Amino acid sequence: KERRALIEEAIKTGREDGLEVQVLESKGRAVFATKPFRRGDFVCEYYGEMIGYQKAKEREEAYMKDPNIGCYMYFFEYKSIRYCVDATAESDRLGRLLNHSKLDGNCQTKIFEINSKPHLIIVAARDILAGEELTYDYGDRNKNSLESHPWLAT
């Protein structure tokens, strides 16, 4: 109960303790732990505009037409309804900057409900040491995505 209250407060206040952004020559921006995280610990929220599936697909198509816009969209299903968190707009929140690792991710996403509304959070999938880059599997196995972004397979 206490752990749930701490996560809920972190989500409501936008708290992201123990994280820092670094720029890597090979990847661009990346998020690193500045403190240890234990398996299951809340890391941050994948924060953005929560929209419905159809609106998200329309935006995704528009984003693909403009090479100056990145696409930071996370699709998920909750209580048989498809949602998307669109984090494409730049903000001071760091969840959108965690890089992908299919094979060696140290984080994972989970759905956390507050007042019947789903929030997409990132938690430690294993114990993480200070100084480690934080990564998770984006889960995108779409053929077109893999052709455009072969790094999704690694």
Side-chain angles (χ1 to χ4, degrees):
K1 210 172 184 182
E2 183 180 321
R3 183 182 180 128
R4 179 173 172 71
L6 290 171
I7 293 171
E8 189 170 326
E9 185 206 345
I11 291 169
K12 287 179 176 178
T13 62
R15 192 177 70 238
E16 299 178 328
D17 296 335
L19 308 179
E20 87 174 354
V21 176
Q22 295 180 23
V23 178
L24 303 177
E25 192 173 312
S26 61
K27 297 181 182 181
R29 292 182 291 180
V31 179
F32 284 79
T34 60
K35 69 174 190 176
F37 289 92
R38 295 193 51 90
R39 184 175 189 249
D41 282 354
F42 172 83
V43 174
C44 62
E45 180 180 11
Y46 190 91
Y47 179 81
E49 183 182 1
M50 183 78 70
I51 57 177
Y53 181 80
Q54 194 55 46
K55 185 174 187 176
K57 292 311 268 180
E58 292 166 10
R59 279 192 192 175
E60 186 178 45
E61 184 130 343
Y63 293 160
M64 289 190 323
K65 292 177 183 173
D66 186 343
N68 297 316
I69 298 176
C71 186
Y72 297 82
M73 302 180 87
Y74 196 110
F75 291 86
F76 67 98
E77 189 171 311
Y78 175 70
K79 294 187 177 181
S80 301
I81 300 172
R82 293 191 285 183
Y83 293 93
C84 176
V85 176
D86 184 356
T88 302
E90 282 284 341
S91 75
D92 61 347
R93 304 294 291 275
L94 303 182
R96 69 190 287 275
L97 299 180
L98 271 72
N99 285 315
H100 167 77
S101 178
K102 178 181 174 187
L103 305 175
D104 196 30
N106 54 16
C107 294
Q108 62 190 37
T109 57
K110 294 215 180 257
I111 297 170
F112 188 90
E113 183 182 307
I114 300 175
N115 299 327
S116 301
K117 179 183 173 196
H119 292 262
L120 195 58
I121 65 170
I122 298 171
V123 300
R126 61 165 174 77
D127 290 349
I128 300 169
L129 299 173
E132 281 189 67
E133 181 184 1
L134 302 173
T135 62
Y136 69 99
D137 181 359
Y138 290 177
D140 190 346
R141 307 293 188 261
N142 178 287
K143 183 181 174 188
N144 292 337
S145 296
L146 291 170
E147 287 174 3
S148 299
H149 309 292
W151 48 265
L152 285 169
T154 60

